[in-house]
Amino acid sequence: MTDSSLPCVDDLLAAAARIAPHASVTPVLQSQVLDALSGARLAFKAEHLQRGGAFKFRGACNAVWALPEAVAARGVVTHSSGNHGAALALAARTRGIACHVVVPEGAVAAKLANIVRHGATLWRCDPTIAAREAMCAQVEAETGATLVHPYADSHVIAGQGTAALELLGSQGPFDTLVVPVGGGGLAAGTRLALQAVSPVTRLVLAEPEGAADTARSLAAGERRLDFTPDTICDGLRGTLGAPNFALLQGAAEVITVDDAATVAAMRLLWQVLKQVVEPSSAIALAAILSQPARFAGQRVGVVLSGGNVDLNALPWAAA
């Protein structure tokens, strides 16, 4: 079973040490043009340049290398629309163990190619959370592999937080950190990083309007998961995990963003920063540009979470 206990700051620091031999220390990018457009001083943590093309490698690597030897030998399994699956496959390869990835129909082709490239076995399912979880349970039963949940595993959460830990260590302090939120692994891990080194920094989460369960859940004080995601941000369609909600409650604000604004921000990042980022990453900049008064004059850290884009289906190509 996946470990859904709440990670703490010590787990974050242990994750940073554990993944250091394997994960890249990604650069921080800045742009006077984007500063002028936003009215803030922005520092972009370039996790799209992480191994596997997304921050997800951090959490997957931590989870894989935290497994006892006998457990690791049976392999790992997860469900993923792409980035976590590719990250887990790559992390498993660094340890020489098997990896199984359950993927929903309609997943981005470039992300599926990454999963296969890193040697994982693909298992297809219907595009629902229930179908993903049912197939994962089947694979666990058939193979003995250990489930590494995409965002509700404590080792995954702690590993994801190392991106913000690096950003704060090299560029901090910040007035605000902005990160995308889907299942909440990066968001919850970032909250741990702020707790560790910069508790006065605000945490703002960028969420698609078509998958705004985090905004609804934090406003209601309980998880509100009854929705059908409808967003171009394929990496942010997951429902907020229970440990993630517990860590974020009372510690984060949410800005919801429509897909048109996200695509515009994605194109802007390509044009100005010259960086290939995906919609689930660009939404962080879109959130800032949608409410400039909220960030005016501030130092703002932004995690660019991933860059695995299907270059044959760019969202502005048909416009």
Side-chain angles (χ1 to χ4, degrees):
M1 292 294 291
T2 187
D3 181 358
S4 59
S5 60
L6 289 184
C8 63
V9 168
D10 285 346
D11 297 315
L12 169 70
L13 301 178
R18 188 176 288 121
I19 72 173
H22 310 286
S24 299
V25 176
T26 54
V28 177
L29 309 176
Q30 295 175 293
S31 164
Q32 293 182 351
V33 172
L34 295 180
D35 285 357
L37 284 173
S38 66
R41 290 165 293 161
L42 307 178
F44 296 94
K45 181 63 168 165
E47 284 297 294
H48 60 295
L49 302 179
Q50 183 56 257
R51 293 185 68 179
F55 76 94
K56 297 276 191 176
F57 179 72
R58 295 174 178 273
C61 184
N62 189 45
V64 163
W65 282 96
L67 291 173
E69 190 64 37
V71 176
R74 297 195 297 270
V76 288
V77 60
T78 195
H79 61 81
S80 170
S81 62
N83 280 343
H84 174 69
L88 190 64
L90 179 56
R93 196 175 71 181
T94 68
R95 195 165 179 182
I97 62 176
C99 179
H100 305 269
V101 181
V102 174
V103 297
E105 294 296 341
V108 174
K111 295 184 178 183
L112 295 184
N114 275 348
I115 295 172
V116 173
R117 184 180 303 119
H118 298 314
T121 300
L122 291 184
W123 301 72
R124 304 275 185 166
C125 71
D126 291 335
T128 66
I129 295 297
R132 292 186 187 197
E133 292 177 347
M135 182 63 77
C136 269
Q138 178 184 327
V139 175
E140 283 183 85
E142 292 180 1
T143 66
T146 297
L147 175 64
V148 178
H149 194 278
Y151 47 82
D153 183 287
S154 67
H155 287 105
V156 168
I157 293 170
Q160 314 304 34
T162 62
L165 192 66
E166 285 180 8
L167 176 59
L168 290 161
S170 66
Q171 301 289 323
F174 291 98
D175 299 298
T176 304
L177 247 58
V178 183
V179 303
V181 63
L186 177 62
T190 299
R191 190 260 174 170
L192 287 178
L194 291 177
Q195 184 181 344
V197 298
S198 188
V200 299
T201 300
R202 287 191 311 158
L203 175 58
V204 173
L205 311 179
E207 185 170 44
E209 285 184 356
D213 62 304
T214 299
R216 288 192 294 271
S217 297
L218 294 182
E222 61 181 11
R223 289 197 300 157
R224 296 290 177 85
L225 309 181
D226 186 16
F227 76 103
T228 300
D230 180 17
T231 176
I232 194 173
C233 302
D234 63 284
L236 305 182
R237 293 172 184 161
T239 54
L240 182 65
N244 316 74
F245 171 74
L247 286 167
L248 293 170
Q249 191 172 21
E253 309 164 26
V254 185
I255 295 176
T256 59
V257 184
D258 66 43
D259 280 356
T262 293
V263 170
M266 175 179 170
R267 185 165 186 164
L268 194 59
L269 287 163
W270 285 46
Q271 290 176 325
V272 176
L273 278 190
K274 312 303 180 187
Q275 300 296 307
V276 176
V277 298
E278 61 190 272
S280 298
S281 177
I283 193 172
L285 176 61
I288 295 167
L289 296 178
S290 74
Q291 297 190 22
R294 198 165 176 172
F295 302 94
Q298 295 184 20
R299 288 205 74 227
V300 182
V302 185
V303 177
L304 294 178
S305 54
N308 293 314
V309 181
D310 186 350
L311 297 178
N312 293 317
L314 295 177
W316 53 77

